[in-house]
Amino acid sequence: MFKRQQATVLRSRIDEPRRFIQVIAGARQVGKSTMVKQVTSELAIPFLLTTAEEAPDKNPSWISYVWQQARQAMRLNNYPEYLLVIDEIHKLDNWSEVVKAEWDADTMRNVNMKVILLGSSRLLLKDGLTESLAGRYELIEMEHWSFNEMREAFGMSVEQYIYYGGYPGAFSLIGDDKRWRKYMKDAIIEPAITKDVLTTKRVLKPALLRQLFLLGCSYSGELLSFNKILGQLQDAGNTSTLANYLQLLDESKLLCGLQQYAADDARKYKSVPKYQVYNSGLLSANNSLSFRDVYLSPEDWGKWVESAVGAYLINHADRLEYKVYFCRHDNDEVDFILQQSRKLVAIEVKSGRRKNNEGMSEFRKQFHPDVELVVGGEAITIEQFLSLDLERLFEA
């Protein structure tokens, strides 16, 4: 079975002396649970793997119950070490306080209980880890599947990846676009909104959040102000509410709004956002155009290509510690600007969407980037870029 690189990282940390709680975070259907099961199946040490979905009424005392069961198994069998794995931990109210108490109790009594927690994206990170567990955990973040991974695991072509994106569970349905689209909506999108966002955060207007997600996906790769969005949405709201909801979708690794690059931060954050899906499959699932329709239309295909490139960039931004922006002046645009410390990388996607674009030359005159790259040109193809180790962009 194909193993993602995070499996190697997790296995090495389990083999180390007890030091930190290991937290596996990532969007829905990226393989968090599968990866942990792969690792635990190869372990020599005993373990208990359970899910917080079994807890009655979101009661966090359930954590103490399963933790005590693990301690009892460890004591009765004289195990020198034990591994407790809790999936969907973010579903429980006040979970981090209970985890902190149990972890600290084991630390104080020299109980060699190692712990792995799994949850959905940064909703887990922000609402629990930074509040109660600071200094007690390490994060292993699982991004959406890259083109390299989908090609190695399933033999996916770059054209298929650009349209269908990196969702392993949906791969077997490629070729039947209607069935694939229904699966995406029922098994991935709706649970991500309902179970991961709405049950974790206080959302006063869930219908508005859903509409924003659908509209943002359809506008992936394009600029659209919150004021214009309000004119297209049925539910009443304001720009501040929309900005907050877009932040929630960003934390859930579904949809984000890129900001215009500028020399000062104030100008960056005041710009009209450019919408970007975290997985190009989200663009396709929320669009009625089939793979054939999109592929045969240069304008549409260019939109999907740019979204696939953007998704690749934002998925690795946290791990490689860079920020992603865009730059537009009148009709000239640089599709993506990457900033890592003092390094600046300008990327133009040559996809047939724009003609006579002078964005790169204008950006060069004003900001002097360290690296300029045209993706889809003669130097580097779309397939080569989606296979690239992005860390190399900052080595120049």
Side-chain angles (χ1 to χ4, degrees), residues 147-148 151 156-159 161-162 305 309 312 375-377 380-388:
F147 167 59
N148 268 350
R151 177 172 56 184
M156 198 176 206
S157 70
V158 68
E159 293 81 11
Y161 183 79
I162 288 170
V305 168
V309 170
Y312 188 44
V375 178
I380 181 166
T381 66
I382 300 295
E383 182 170 0
Q384 288 172 332
F385 183 80
L386 292 177
S387 305
L388 182 69

Side-chain angles (χ1 to χ4, degrees), residues 107-213:
T107 301
M108 184 177 296
R109 298 167 188 163
N110 293 317
V111 177
N112 194 14
M113 179 78 69
K114 299 177 179 180
V115 177
I116 299 174
L117 305 177
L118 292 84
S120 295
S121 195
R122 298 231 183 138
L123 297 177
L124 168 65
L125 177 62
K126 287 187 66 177
D127 289 353
L129 300 178
T130 55
E131 294 173 3
S132 304
L133 296 175
R136 296 171 174 83
Y137 75 94
E138 286 183 296
L139 179 67
I140 300 176
E141 187 151 6
M142 297 190 69
E143 306 94 355
H144 286 272
W145 284 52
S146 68
F147 167 59
N148 268 350
E149 290 175 310
M150 293 297 291
R151 177 172 56 184
E152 184 177 345
F154 303 103
M156 198 176 206
S157 70
V158 68
E159 293 81 11
Q160 288 174 326
Y161 183 79
I162 288 170
Y163 180 84
Y164 296 104
Y167 283 109
F171 178 79
S172 63
L173 301 179
I174 287 178
D176 187 341
D177 286 349
K178 290 182 179 179
R179 187 178 177 188
W180 174 85
R181 191 172 290 111
K182 180 169 174 45
Y183 173 87
M184 287 286 296
K185 291 179 178 179
D186 294 345
I188 297 177
I189 294 174
E190 183 57 28
I193 298 294
T194 303
K195 296 183 178 181
D196 296 340
V197 180
L198 298 182
T199 61
T200 310
K201 289 284 189 176
R202 186 169 178 264
V203 176
L204 296 178
K205 295 179 177 292
L208 184 63
L209 185 142
R210 282 191 171 89
Q211 291 179 60
L212 173 63
F213 171 68

